[in-house]
Amino acid sequence: MTTITLRPSAPTPAQPTPRPPVPQPAVPVSSAPDPTTAATAPAPVRGQRIGFGPAVALYTGSLLGPGVLVLPGIAAGHAGPASLLAWVALLILSIPIAATFTALAVRYPSGSGIAAVAARAFGPDARTVVGWWFYAAVPLAASAAALLGGQYVAAALGAGPHTALAVTGVILAAVIAANTAGIRMSGRTQLAVVGVLLTLITISLAAAARHLHPDNFTPFNPHGYAAVAKATATLFVGVAGWEACATLTDAVRRPRRTLPRVTAATLLVVGVVYLGLATATIGTLGATAAQTGVPLSAVIRTGLGPAAPPIVAAVALLLTVGAANTYLAGAARSGAALAAAGDLPAWLAHQPTGVARRSLAIQAAATIALTTAAAYWHVPPGQLIRLVTVLLAAVALAGMAAAAILLPTGWYTLAAVTGTAITAAVLGTAGPNLLIPAAVAGAALVWRATRHQRTPPPLAVPAAASPNAAQTRRPRMHLPATVPRAPAGSAVVRPGRQPPNAPAPVRRKRSRRRRKRAAHQRR
């Protein structure tokens, strides 16, 4: 028969008298974000992450922009055949810039890109200025790309200025629609655009290679090495795109593994395309390369003959669409991140589906307004490209200087210092155009100062005055002095076994006793 023993319940310990709350120091009550923290845009949804192929397409599209349509002729006008040295020097000097921006993007991923890195190195004022520089450069770049694409297509088809304006409107509408649909669709669109573009350029260069004349490369350096240096500074816009891609870091799958491979592949593709176009331009056109406003069109016409007009139109469309697409995608995310940090109006940070449609709407409206003004006053796209170069060079200079401070010492520091010197030299040749980044920086600082004046100071509320002050204190646990043992006989324990509720030190002591007893019996 099983005997059930009823155990008397342990007496409930008396509840201690609550102590009066200890006065705590004043707690600031404010919902404003920490201005020293780098802004990070809300991460896109899982389905909107892009892989290696779309990332290479976005990077390549930002570098192979509309400058390809005019830069070979401009460089040939500065240095003649020696402009090939300028292209080689530019591609070599772009390696430390690309490596530095990739290292920053991997170590400090943020939707605000270089602005967040500048905040880590120089404070929140630098983040505001750099963010505004990039945000102001994007409408200029998109307008220049759309206008240049419209002019090239109209010239290839033999049409007038009205056709050019119509093509410009189609380019802007396509780019805005692709970015509104989301970053994943934008990446796939860019992959298709870059693939077709590289195919057409390869066919054109292969056809033009039969018409290269060695006499066009002599004399090789008619204007001296100073002209080569000037041509290199002019061509900087050809590699001014890495800071735009830095804003897309948090949209790439496994960025620490993917971004270095994307950078290497992009450098290889861009180097081959630029050197091939420069060689074909000088070898086929010679001294007339600097006199034509559409050198790429002349090269394709020389190689393909009557089949050139549709190819020229397709290449111009793909180049301009790719560049405008990349810049609008990066600027939309950068605007949302800056708004979340308080550097732009807060309502721009709204992106519930992972697409910053409000920021994109601002960029689209500014781009359409600039395009309309440039078409009305007949501003050449080359002038817009020079302004974009100055703003992006200022952004790159801030990023290089911040990298020299933030990245670990060694090869990264050497690359950052080299990139800083290169970018500063490029800015030194800008002349009066330096007033543009200076004006934007002044407006950014005024915005930040007025915003701090409008923001009320945080209220200091003592913790004792708070109605929930008592609940915020962690209550103490009051245990009895001794744990009551169970009465003898309440549990049946077999000899040599331990009760399941025995403390750990007791179990270890009994185990040692059993081992000693077994060893003594064996002896």
Side-chain angles (χ1 to χ4, degrees):
M1 178 180 297
T2 304
T3 304
I4 301 176
T5 306
L6 298 178
R7 304 179 184 179
S9 59
T12 303
Q15 296 295 333
T17 304
R19 299 179 180 180
V22 180
Q24 300 291 333
V27 180
V29 178
S30 175
S31 59
D34 185 4
T36 62
T37 305
T40 303
V45 296
R46 183 180 181 85
Q48 291 179 325
R49 299 274 180 173
I50 60 178
F52 175 78
V56 172
L58 286 171
Y59 275 49
T60 306
S62 68
L63 297 175
L64 291 181
V68 174
L69 302 175
V70 293
L71 287 179
I74 295 176
H78 284 307
S83 61
L84 294 176
L85 297 179
W87 282 107
V88 173
L90 180 70
L91 294 174
I92 293 176
L93 295 177
S94 66
I95 293 176
I97 297 176
T100 303
F101 278 126
T102 302
L104 288 175
V106 170
R107 291 177 179 269
Y108 307 104
S110 173
S112 54
I114 304 304
V117 177
R120 289 177 177 269
F122 306 113
D125 290 340
R127 178 191 61 206
T128 306
V129 172
V130 173
W132 279 48
W133 277 341
F134 177 71
Y135 209 65
V138 169
L140 291 169
S143 300
L147 287 171
L148 196 55
Q151 291 180 5
Y152 250 80
V153 172
L157 301 179
H162 296 288
T163 303
L165 290 178
V167 174
T168 300
V170 170
I171 292 173
L172 292 179
V175 168
I176 294 171
N179 282 276
T180 304
I183 192 67
R184 183 172 179 83
M185 179 178 176
S186 181
R188 289 177 175 176
T189 304
Q190 190 80 0
L191 182 61
V193 166
V194 172
V196 176
L197 172 64
L198 294 179
T199 302
L200 293 178
I201 290 179
T202 302
I203 294 173
S204 303
L205 293 180
R210 301 175 299 171
H211 302 276
L212 295 179
H213 299 287
D215 296 338
N216 291 333
F217 293 94
T218 57
F220 184 73
N221 191 7
H223 306 293
Y225 290 101
V228 175
K230 184 178 180 180
T232 305
T234 304
L235 297 176
F236 184 80
V237 68
V239 295
W242 298 105
E243 62 279 356
C245 300
T247 61
L248 301 172
T249 303
D250 52 354
V252 178
R253 287 195 295 266
R254 299 185 298 273
R256 186 173 295 274
R257 174 187 175 186
T258 304
L259 286 181
R261 297 165 52 209
V262 169
T263 302
T266 305
L267 281 173
L268 179 62
V269 172
V270 170
V272 171
V273 171
Y274 274 143
L275 287 178
L277 288 174
T279 304
T281 300
I282 296 173
T284 57
L285 302 181
T288 61
Q291 301 173 3
T292 176
V294 285
L296 182 59
S297 176
V299 170
I300 297 177
R301 286 178 184 274
T302 303
L304 297 179
I311 300 246
V312 171
V315 170
L317 281 175
L318 294 177
L319 282 171
T320 53
V321 168
N325 181 52
T326 300
Y327 278 109
L328 282 179
R333 296 182 57 80
S334 177
L338 291 171
D343 298 328
L344 285 174
W347 55 271
L348 289 178
H350 182 73
Q351 46 176 343
T353 60
V355 180
R357 288 190 172 90
R358 294 182 179 180
S359 179
L360 179 61
I362 295 296
Q363 287 289 321
T367 302
I368 293 173
L370 283 173
T371 305
T372 304
Y376 182 78
W377 280 292
H378 303 286
V379 178
Q383 180 62 31
L384 297 178
I385 290 176
R386 282 189 284 270
L387 297 179
V388 172
T389 303
V390 175
L391 287 170
L392 293 184
V395 174
L397 179 62
M400 294 291 106
I405 297 175
L406 297 177
L407 293 180
T409 57
W411 191 90
Y412 288 112
T413 304
L414 178 61
V417 172
T418 305
T420 303
I422 295 169
T423 313
V426 170
L427 278 175
T429 63
N433 290 335
L434 285 175
L435 295 176
I436 301 298
V440 174
L445 294 178
V446 168
W447 158 268
R448 186 169 182 84
T450 56
R451 175 183 173 273
H452 282 295
Q453 289 178 0
R454 293 193 304 264
T455 304
L459 300 177
V461 180
S466 175
N468 298 326
Q471 286 80 359
T472 56
R473 291 184 56 84
R474 190 173 181 178
R476 291 187 177 183
M477 296 182 63
H478 295 272
L479 299 177
T482 58
V483 179
R485 295 178 176 272
S490 60
V492 179
V493 180
R494 297 175 58 183
R497 295 293 180 90
Q498 306 167 13
N501 58 349
V506 176
R507 291 199 300 268
R508 286 196 297 269
K509 186 175 181 180
R510 292 178 180 176
S511 299
R512 286 195 296 269
R513 289 177 180 175
R514 287 199 304 270
R515 288 195 297 271
K516 289 181 179 180
R517 189 181 302 111
H520 179 72
Q521 292 176 357
R522 286 195 298 270
R523 288 196 297 268

